[in-house]
């Protein structure tokens, strides 16, 4: 059994539906539950859940930022040119405008975070299996 399998049912907020809208920017299966999607508010807030081994592509937030509030499981966050950071519930990540990064689940664990995002994402190349499998 994968670690933190209970995360797949949602920790604080519902897990949401399969993240089909952004599936092309992920390796593996993710789920998305929009928590705030008000056109009068220039910030999106969503609960993102990753199956074990799932991660998003490298990406950059243009004219904005991204805050990640980890609510369950174990995962990774990495900025270009820096070592990957291991993440667990209670961790907070601040990604500033223009910083190339990726985030996702550990190989053997479900992972969930609230993503608070402003600006426009620029989706880039996938995190290769070679890069990802080096993480310990």
């Amino acid at each position: 059994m994968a670690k933190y399998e209970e995360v797949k049912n949602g920790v604080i907020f519902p897990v949401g539906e399969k993240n089909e809208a952004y599936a092309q920017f992920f390796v593996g299966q993710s789920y998305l539950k929009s928590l705030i999607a008000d056109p009068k508010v220039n910030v999106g807030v969503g609960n993102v859940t990753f199956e074990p081994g799932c991660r998003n592509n490298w990406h950059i937030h243009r004219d904005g930022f991204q805050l990640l509030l980890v609510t369950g499981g174990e995962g990774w966050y990495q900025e270009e040119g820096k070592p990957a950071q291991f993440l667990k519930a209670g961790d907070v990540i601040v990604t500033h405008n223009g910083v190339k990064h990726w985030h996702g689940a550990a190989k053997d664990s479900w992972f969930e975070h609230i993503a608070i995002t402003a600006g426009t994402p620029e989706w880039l190349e996938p995190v290769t299996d070679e890069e990802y499998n080096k993480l310990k």
Side-chain angles (χ1 to χ4, degrees):
M1 178 161 90
K3 289 196 292 187
Y4 299 101
E5 192 164 329
E6 69 276 6
V7 168
K8 72 181 177 183
N9 298 317
V11 176
I12 298 170
F13 298 101
V15 71
E17 301 298 321
K18 285 186 176 182
N19 190 2
E20 302 297 346
Y22 294 93
Q24 71 222 30
F25 307 119
F26 284 74
V27 173
Q29 184 64 58
S30 68
Y31 303 83
L32 177 61
K33 173 66 176 168
S34 290
L35 301 176
I36 298 174
D38 183 331
K40 295 179 184 174
V41 176
N42 196 21
V43 175
V45 180
N47 185 39
V48 186
T49 305
F50 300 77
E51 289 187 359
C54 177
R55 68 262 188 195
N56 53 30
N57 289 6
W58 288 96
H59 58 287
I60 297 169
H61 298 279
R62 300 286 183 193
D63 300 317
F65 57 84
Q66 186 170 56
L67 310 175
L68 303 177
L69 310 176
V70 180
T71 55
E74 295 177 347
W76 295 99
Y77 171 85
Q78 185 173 17
E79 292 181 359
E80 184 176 45
K82 296 183 179 179
Q85 294 176 247
F86 179 75
L87 301 176
K88 62 189 181 327
D91 288 340
V92 174
I93 294 291
V94 176
T95 305
H96 295 279
N97 181 52
V99 175
K100 184 176 177 180
H101 68 286
W102 70 271
H103 35 104
K107 295 174 202 156
D108 62 348
S109 179
W110 285 78
F111 179 61
E112 187 172 65
H113 63 55
I114 304 298
I116 302 167
T117 308
T120 305
E122 178 184 343
W123 292 100
L124 304 166
E125 71 276 7
V127 176
T128 67
D129 288 342
E130 182 182 19
E131 290 173 292
Y132 182 77
N133 289 331
K134 288 180 184 175
L135 301 174
K136 301 220 185 291

